[in-house]
Amino acid sequence: MMRSKQHTAPTVQRKLHLDSLAVGLLIVCSAFWGFQQVLVKATIVEIAPVFQAALRFGAATVVLVLWCRWRGVTLIGKDQSLWPGLLAGCLFAVEFACIYIGLQFSAASRLTIFLYTAPFWVAALLPFWVRSERLRSLQWLGLGLAFFAVLFALRDGLVQATYPKQWLGDLLALAAGLAWGLTTVTIRTTRLAVISPEKLLFYQIGVSAALMPCLSLLLGEHWHTGFSGFAMTSLLLQTVVGAFASYLAWMWMLGRYPATKISVFAFLTPVFALLFGTLWLGEPVTAALLGSLALVAVGIVVVNRKPST
């Protein structure tokens, strides 16, 4: 009886709007994700990007398994989630491969802006399967403002690039955003929507842990040990806070709140990436980039406005 209970996910009452708990978690997660992009870029000097991702997700998978054993959460069972779980895991791996490789060619703050095109894909595709996720006209206007901000930032990079192959970093970030959006759609429209957050995360970081080393070898990256104290601290933060705690919180919210509103709210991450990138790495701040971030902020507010009664 106990085993069948673990296989059956409890019924969760979904909410139509983000409450204070969700907003607080999103702010904390967005702040760390913005910092994390800068952290990854600073660590690329010592650890090759995809190899860095392989170490991160491999360690995070171990941490998650230990957490689930301690909490008594079942990760393997017949719940018809295997194939959609593997699909979500592959999309997740593609997203982070593009992010880590793209950081070699673009500023962390800039790459983060393009990564957060993901809400457009969620808002455009998810309503075909989940009617409650449909946006009103005013909310589409908010998305339009944010989309214009992304295009404006892209124009700035094409006209006056600060990195030799910045266009490549931009394209990889856009591909990562598409993969993230498709991951969210997969989660909300399949059996993944009713499994535990831990198992949902296990599919994604587990598949990534399996695929990233293969990709790293194909790219000819150098594998080595004997990292500096900074690199070890970076990997620890990326693993425990990034790939485990923050993503587990994200999966938990996807099971309880509207995915469209959660995704758009996460546009705050580029603001934090800009802040940390400027303070730590001395990355350039252009007028176009600041204008893009302002429009993104307006889009967040508009999309998350409650309908007037």
Side-chain angles (χ1 to χ4, degrees):
M1 292 299 292
M2 289 295 293
R3 181 172 296 274
S4 65
K5 266 190 171 183
Q6 289 179 330
H7 286 304
T8 304
T11 302
V12 175
Q13 183 178 2
R14 298 190 62 85
K15 300 182 180 182
L16 297 178
H17 305 287
L18 304 184
D19 54 24
S20 58
L21 175 60
V23 170
L25 285 174
L26 281 169
I27 291 175
V28 172
C29 288
S30 297
F32 181 80
W33 293 338
F35 172 71
Q36 181 176 251
Q37 305 291 51
V38 179
L39 185 64
V40 170
K41 186 171 180 63
T43 311
I44 285 176
V45 177
E46 183 173 344
I47 308 176
V50 180
F51 179 49
Q52 189 179 156
L55 292 173
R56 171 193 182 184
F57 290 119
T61 302
V62 173
V63 172
L64 179 62
V65 170
L66 293 175
W67 165 268
C68 290
R69 286 181 64 88
W70 177 58
R71 299 277 296 178
V73 177
T74 301
L75 293 177
I76 299 176
K78 297 180 180 180
D79 55 9
Q80 291 80 51
S81 68
L82 177 61
W83 291 111
L86 293 177
L87 174 59
C90 289
L91 290 169
F92 187 85
V94 168
E95 174 195 344
F96 278 90
C98 290
I99 290 173
Y100 275 75
I101 296 172
L103 281 169
Q104 298 177 101
F105 307 108
S106 182
S109 54
R110 180 178 183 82
L111 180 140
T112 306
I113 287 181
F114 296 122
L115 170 63
Y116 279 79
T117 53
F120 306 128
W121 299 106
V122 176
L125 298 175
L126 191 52
F128 285 105
W129 291 275
V130 186
R131 295 180 61 87
S132 63
E133 296 278 7
R134 289 184 177 178
L135 298 180
R136 304 185 310 278
S137 298
L138 185 61
Q139 291 173 313
W140 275 110
L141 175 61
L143 272 180
L145 287 173
F147 183 66
F148 177 77
V150 173
L151 292 179
F152 194 57
L154 179 60
R155 172 187 172 276
D156 178 61
L158 293 175
V159 174
Q160 188 177 4
T162 55
Y163 286 77
K165 293 184 178 180
Q166 186 166 280
W167 60 270
L168 179 56
D170 292 345
L171 290 178
L172 285 169
L174 287 170
L178 173 59
W180 184 5
L182 291 176
T183 301
T184 302
V185 171
T186 301
I187 291 171
R188 284 287 287 115
T189 58
T190 66
R191 287 284 302 171
L192 299 179
V194 296
I195 65 176
S196 69
E198 290 87 353
K199 185 168 184 177
L200 180 55
L201 181 59
F202 177 69
Y203 277 127
Q204 294 174 80
I205 63 175
V207 171
S208 297
L211 295 181
M212 289 296 183
C214 301
L215 178 58
S216 178
L217 290 173
L218 286 174
L219 293 174
E221 292 184 343
H222 175 61
W223 290 21
H224 65 96
T225 57
F227 305 130
S228 68
F230 167 76
M232 290 297 295
T233 302
S234 172
L235 287 173
L236 181 64
L237 287 173
Q238 291 181 52
T239 298
V240 178
V241 182
F244 174 65
S246 68
Y247 294 153
L248 189 59
W250 178 264
M251 302 307 159
W252 179 83
M253 285 187 286
L254 278 179
R256 288 160 174 79
Y257 300 95
T260 46
K261 294 185 178 181
I262 290 175
S263 298
V264 175
F265 198 95
F267 264 129
L268 279 176
T269 297
V271 179
F272 290 108
L274 174 63
L275 174 63
F276 292 123
T278 301
L279 295 177
W280 185 0
L281 302 180
E283 294 180 345
V285 180
T286 65
L289 190 59
L290 290 174
S292 299
L293 292 175
L295 286 176
V296 163
V298 172
I300 291 173
V301 173
V302 172
V303 171
N304 282 281
R305 281 178 61 90
K306 294 183 181 181
S308 55
T309 55

